[in-house]
Amino acid sequence: MRIDVVTLFPEMFGVVRDLGVTGRAHAQGRWALHAWNPRDFTSDPHRTVDDRPYGGGPGMVMMAAPLEAAVNAAQAARAAQGLGPAPVALLAPVGKRYDQAGAEALAASDGLILICGRYEGVDQRFIERCVTHEISLGDFVLSGGEIAALAVIDAAVRLLPGVLNDGDSALQDSFNDTLSGLLDSPHYTRPEVYEGAPVPAPLLSGHHANISRWRRERSLALTVARRPELIESARAQGWLSLADERFLAELAGEPLPPLPAKRRRGSKPKAS
C-alpha cells in the first residue's frame, strides 16, 4: 500500500513513518509514504500557495494550481511504480465520516492520495477537478488536515497483514465485525489487585467459555452506555445472538426473550 500526502508540513508525517507499529511496518516495506509540498510546485519567489478569498471574509484560501500540480506529480510517481490512478481524498469537515470500514477498505487497496488543507479552506475548483473523496474525523474543526491524515493512515496500516505482532489483535478492536460492530470490552493486566481493585473473577477462572461470555456482555453493556446506536446497527445486521438479546433485555429491565424449545432426546420434529 502506497500513501501520498499533499501537505505544507511533510515533517509531521515522521510520526507514522518512523515510530511505533506503523514505523516498523514502513521499515519492513509493508507500506510506503511519500509527501508532496505544494510550495515545491510554485514559480514565484515567495512560493505562494494561498490568497485572499473572492467575496471577502477572514483568512486565506489555498490556491488550486499548486495543489493540482502536486497531485499530478504524485499520480505520475505512482504510475512509474506500476500503480493505477489513486483516489484523491481531501480531509475536510464536510467529508464522509471515516470509520473502521473505511480503514479496512483502505488497507485492502493500493492506497490513495491525501490532501491536507490549511487556512480557511481550498479553492473549490481544485476540489471539482481533482478530489474524488472528502473525509472527516468528526464534527469538529482542526487547524489543518495533517492530524486527520495521520489518523486515517494509522487506522489502515495497522490492519495490513503482519503489521501487528498478534494477527488476532485487530479482530478484537472496537467496531470490528468480529465484535458485531460493538465497542471492545475492558482489559486488565498484572497486578491482580491494583489499589484495592481486583481483576474481575471470570478473567481469572481459566474457563474459556465464561471468559468469552463475560467479555461479550461487557462489550454489550459498554456499547449500550456509550454508543447505543451501534446496538441497533448490529441488530439490523443480524449480529446479535439470542443470548445477547436476553442480556440486553436484562440490562434494560425488560421481559427476557423466550429460549428456543428443546426437543426430547431421540424425538423427531413433526411433519408439517
Side-chain angles (χ1 to χ4, degrees), residues 54-198:
Y54 279 112
M60 306 289 276
V61 175
M62 294 191 75
M63 301 166 69
L67 291 172
E68 183 166 353
V71 168
N72 290 341
Q75 295 282 28
R78 293 177 63 90
Q81 193 179 339
L83 299 174
V88 178
L90 173 67
L91 286 307
V94 300
K96 179 182 177 181
R97 182 77 64 89
Y98 189 64
D99 57 15
Q100 188 68 15
E104 291 170 358
L106 177 54
S109 74
D110 290 333
L112 82 171
I113 299 172
L114 292 168
I115 310 298
C116 301
R118 282 271 157 178
Y119 314 122
E120 287 299 309
V122 172
D123 191 309
Q124 182 65 27
R125 292 166 294 185
F126 165 74
I127 297 174
E128 293 170 356
R129 286 173 57 85
C130 299
V131 172
T132 61
H133 299 74
E134 294 184 76
I135 297 174
S136 171
L137 292 190
D139 298 335
F140 55 92
V141 178
L142 298 168
S143 300
E146 285 79 11
I147 292 176
L150 289 169
V152 167
I153 294 168
D154 183 274
V157 169
R158 65 190 304 278
L159 299 178
L160 295 175
V163 170
L164 299 180
N165 289 330
D166 186 341
D168 290 337
S169 293
L171 298 179
Q172 299 302 318
D173 290 338
S174 294
F175 313 112
N176 190 280
D177 287 355
T178 304
L179 285 175
S180 305
L182 307 179
L183 301 181
D184 195 5
S185 64
H187 298 277
Y188 298 84
T189 188
R190 292 178 177 80
E192 188 173 320
V193 178
Y194 174 71
E195 296 293 330

